[in-house]
Amino acid sequence: MISSEHIPFNIPFSSFTDQKPGTSGLRKSTKQFQQTHYLESFIEAIFRTLPGVDGGVLVLGGDGRYGNRSAIDVILPMAAAHGIKKVITTVDGILSTPAASNLIRLNKAVGGIILSASHNSGGIEGDFGVKLNGANGGPASESLTNEIFICTQTLNEYKSISCTSIPLDSPGVYKISSMIVEVIDGIEDYILLMQNLFDFDQISSLISNDFPFAFDALNAVTGPYANRLFENLLGAPQGTVRKGIPLEDFGGCHPDPNLTYAKDLADLLLKGNQLMFGAACDGDGDRNMILGQGCFVNPSDSLAVLTSNANCVPAYCDGLFGVARSMPTSAAVDVVAKDLGINCYETPTGWKFFGNLLDAQKITICGEESFGTGSNHVREKDGIWAVLFWLQILANKKCSVLDLMKEHWAFYGRHYYSRHDYESIDSETAHSLYERLEALLPSSIGQHFGNSIINHADNFNYKDPIDNSNTAGQGLRILLEDNSRVIVRLSGTGTKGATLRIYLEKYVNPKGNLTQNPQVALADLISSIDSFAEIKLRTQMSHPTVIT
Ligand code: G1P
Ligand code: ZN
């Protein structure tokens, strides 16, 4: 219980100019968030802009990084001052992004605030973030985030209430003024949802019997979920979940499940022969990486495999409405969709573009090349869901990951794929490289590029088939006659300088060479885009920072 004067008060401050939310909300260095009233002013703008705040329910939690707990202490009294009826928050403030999406939907909340900078590093030297989700459980729409940004520009005070901190060490119900604060176990509802989707008995019979696997939570939010699911409920041996306790600085790790930042796990699977399966999730639990013994599954292939094997999962065995992928994701899923006779939609990068398609029941499963896969069970990508989906397929088909991939390619052909990221480039250098390339595109059509010829080149423009809204400038596309593609984008989520992303894709039909190293298969595209876009010359970087 709290003692407080319950008097809303207005605190003046000078406005901030850099609070423009990107694709995943406001993401900045922890130090920027530590500026006096910085967090408060962004939260004030949210509460003034989000529809239904007065009298509504709000979900609040985060990935456990430095600042998570103190931000909850700031947000709760502000929510009370803005007339929110009830805030649902969680023990220790721990709540993964997909679990938050589920809670928003279950409780018919007006939205949710997720305290996370996703896969960015944490701690005082790392990043912090505030993600806003809307009433459908998905990331706030672009129009809402624009309104919030405009609001931050004119704010000169925020509203709060004087009260003591609410304890989050166990479930309980509290009040701040007339607002109810419900502290719940943030894991339970998510596990119930997974039990409704998957056949737990079948997964359990696989992983409790001589199927050594490792799940790496990278010291971030999925640890408690994975422990309860894999070890306690499904019977995986103790120790299956690694780095399973959320730490404020993620133990110094970069909580991004890829071959660079989850190298320990990748080495165990790619160099060792003890484990059958490996998986990792990112800081806030929405991304996943899947590995088999001697086999890395690229996320575009993962989406295709989930789609083609959806009939193994009780929730999807009656068929899929359709599927969607972000534009830079490979066309591996397109080929499966064609075979299944369902639509495949191509959206811009960012999960929010799947929301309308999911809500309108045009799609059931969707994904991005950036280790994101999900379905209509929530409105976010969902790392642990993807791991359970893979385990269900393996339990059903009784084969290894590598055999499954080989079987898949032998039937559909293989989309060799790789993403090369050049991180922390000087922002001006990155933008001038991009603008130069964009200007060259129209005259490049018909020119040689690697072993093929460019037959289409543009900056991707998306017309939402549900609300007809238009989103332009979503990435430079170079499409070749042999169906190969090279995409060039600038990241919208980095916090240091600019990140240039090069996406490379080449299709080989089932009769072709299906067992090449992707970097070898893509070598001509890699060197062609380097000379066309003058990447090494302009960035002065001899190698990408991350190759996936
Ligand atoms: C990155 C990914 C994108 C994902 C986003 C949020 O964005 O590429 O697919 O939706 O993170 O997780 P980017 O930095 O490329 O703008
Ligand atoms: Zn994330």
Side-chain angles (χ1 to χ4, degrees):
M1 286 299 115
I2 51 155
S3 63
S4 95
E5 299 161 37
H6 301 168
I7 304 166
F9 51 83
N10 293 321
I11 301 166
F13 60 90
S14 56
S15 66
F16 296 94
T17 53
D18 67 340
Q19 289 172 316
K20 189 160 179 54
T23 43
S24 309
L26 182 67
R27 200 179 285 185
K28 298 282 176 189
S29 68
T30 304
K31 289 199 170 131
Q32 254 167 298
F33 266 102
Q34 283 174 327
Q35 294 172 82
T36 314
H37 302 151
Y38 188 86
L39 171 67
E40 287 87 341
S41 71
F42 191 65
I43 300 296
E44 177 72 18
I46 289 178
F47 286 150
R48 287 191 191 186
T49 317
L50 179 70
V53 161
D54 195 13
V57 176
L58 182 82
V59 170
L60 174 63
D63 65 10
R65 72 180 61 222
Y66 181 86
N68 192 121
R69 172 70 231 221
S70 57
I72 292 176
D73 285 343
V74 165
I75 295 168
L76 286 177
M78 287 185 69
H82 282 272
I84 294 239
K85 183 174 76 183
K86 178 163 92 174
V87 172
I88 298 170
T89 189
T90 56
V91 173
D92 296 330
I94 290 291
L95 185 62
S96 77
T97 288
S101 181
N102 180 42
L103 283 182
I104 294 168
R105 294 164 67 78
L106 268 184
N107 294 285
K108 303 202 167 21
V110 295
I113 293 177
I114 304 165
L115 304 162
S116 171
S118 188
H119 51 284
N120 291 20
S121 59
I124 300 176
E125 299 301 326
D127 291 335
F128 189 74
V130 176
K131 302 206 297 179
L132 175 67
N133 283 28
N136 76 343
S141 67
E142 201 145 87
S143 59
L144 184 61
T145 53
N146 281 339
E147 268 182 67
I148 292 169
F149 176 58
I150 291 167
C151 183
T152 63
Q153 304 287 285
T154 55
L155 277 181
N156 52 21
E157 60 180 26
Y158 68 88
K159 211 156 53 160
S160 190
I161 273 181
S162 161
C163 68
T164 52
S165 169
I166 300 282
L168 298 182
D169 46 353
S170 60
V173 179
Y174 303 87
K175 267 190 126 180
I176 300 178
S177 190
S178 58
M179 183 183 86
I180 297 165
V181 180
E182 208 179 318
V183 181
I184 64 165
D185 171 343
I187 320 290
E188 226 161 63
D189 290 305
Y190 179 79
I191 289 187
L192 285 174
L193 175 65
M194 293 302 112
Q195 283 174 311
N196 282 333
L197 300 175
F198 297 102
D199 176 350
F200 269 41
D201 290 339
Q202 191 188 49
I203 297 176
S204 177
S205 67
L206 173 78
I207 68 178
S208 57
N209 284 307
D210 199 23
F211 181 82
F213 89 96
F215 176 87
D216 194 335
L218 299 172
N219 303 311
V221 80
T222 52
Y225 294 85
N227 267 312
R228 227 186 278 178
L229 262 171
F230 300 129
E231 296 190 12
N232 299 356
L233 260 174
L234 292 163
Q238 265 203 350
T240 298
V241 177
R242 293 158 189 248
K243 303 194 192 120
I245 297 170
L247 302 177
E248 286 200 332
D249 65 349
F250 307 123
C253 297
H254 199 118
D256 200 0
N258 59 36
L259 296 173
T260 303
Y261 297 123
K263 190 170 182 312
D264 293 355
L265 180 77
D267 283 350
L268 281 175
L269 273 296
L270 301 181
K271 296 183 182 159
N273 58 7
Q274 305 289 314
L275 299 176
M276 303 293 290
F277 182 74
C281 289
D282 75 329
D284 63 329
D286 55 0
R287 293 185 171 194
N288 73 89
M289 176 169 71
I290 302 293
L291 297 149
Q293 197 178 104
C295 174
F296 161 71
V297 182
N298 92 49
S300 299
D301 276 348
S302 178
L303 177 63
V305 168
L306 300 190
T307 302
S308 75
N309 293 286
N311 58 348
C312 296
V313 177
Y316 312 112
C317 65
D318 289 338
L320 307 174
F321 293 125
V323 287
R325 63 164 171 84
S326 66
M327 181 272 284
T329 304
S330 94
V333 70
D334 303 36
V335 180
V336 178
K338 194 169 174 210
D339 182 54
L340 294 176
I342 56 175
N343 281 337
C344 178
Y345 297 84
E346 185 178 39
T347 60
T349 295
W351 205 260
K352 64 185 171 201
F353 294 101
F354 295 133
N356 276 351
L357 294 168
L358 289 164
D359 286 346
Q361 301 198 330
K362 296 286 182 204
I363 60 169
T364 307
I365 291 179
C366 45
E368 297 193 87
E369 49 61 44
S370 52
F371 297 88
T373 15
S375 86
N376 57 358
H377 67 290
V378 286
R379 291 296 180 272
E380 286 279 1
K381 53 193 177 236
D382 188 344
I384 287 194
W385 167 89
V387 178
L388 286 168
F389 203 139
W390 265 92
L391 290 170
Q392 186 93 75
I393 296 170
L394 297 175
N396 191 288
K397 299 208 127 188
K398 299 187 175 47
C399 67
S400 73
V401 175
L402 186 59
D403 288 342
L404 188 66
M405 290 318 305
K406 283 184 175 163
E407 192 189 301
H408 186 91
W409 295 326
F411 187 77
Y412 294 107
R414 180 169 180 182
H415 291 77
Y416 282 103
Y417 188 83
S418 184
R419 185 174 106 181
H420 290 195
D421 294 332
Y422 295 82
E423 294 179 351
S424 305
I425 313 175
D426 165 63
S427 191
E428 215 169 286
T429 307
H431 282 95
S432 75
L433 183 156
Y434 186 89
E435 280 152 25
R436 173 185 166 273
L437 182 62
E438 183 172 12
L440 286 176
L441 291 185
S443 60
S444 72
I445 296 167
Q447 307 275 318
H448 279 277
F449 192 95
N451 303 329
S452 188
I453 287 171
I454 301 178
N455 71 1
H456 186 95
D458 66 0
N459 196 338
F460 181 60
N461 185 72
Y462 179 63
K463 187 160 185 229
D464 187 299
I466 310 300
D467 65 18
N468 289 323
S469 60
N470 211 60
T471 312
Q474 294 300 302
L476 307 181
R477 308 192 294 177
I478 299 169
L479 312 183
L480 307 182
E481 256 176 28
D482 67 354
N483 284 331
S484 297
R485 299 194 308 166
V486 179
I487 314 294
V488 178
R489 268 187 75 244
L490 291 175
S491 156
T493 62
T495 53
K496 286 184 203 82
T499 295
L500 179 72
R501 305 202 193 285
I502 313 291
Y503 309 79
L504 306 133
E505 172 179 348
K506 174 175 251 161
Y507 177 68
V508 170
N509 70 40
K511 294 197 182 79
N513 184 349
L514 300 173
T515 55
Q516 269 181 293
N517 175 321
Q519 301 310 314
V520 175
L522 298 164
D524 67 302
L525 297 179
I526 294 169
S527 64
S528 303
I529 191 62
D530 183 50
S531 46
F532 190 30
E534 299 182 348
I535 298 168
K536 293 196 174 75
L537 182 74
R538 287 168 176 264
T539 63
Q540 292 293 300
M541 292 168 79
S542 55
H543 295 288
T545 322
V546 178
I547 293 183
T548 302

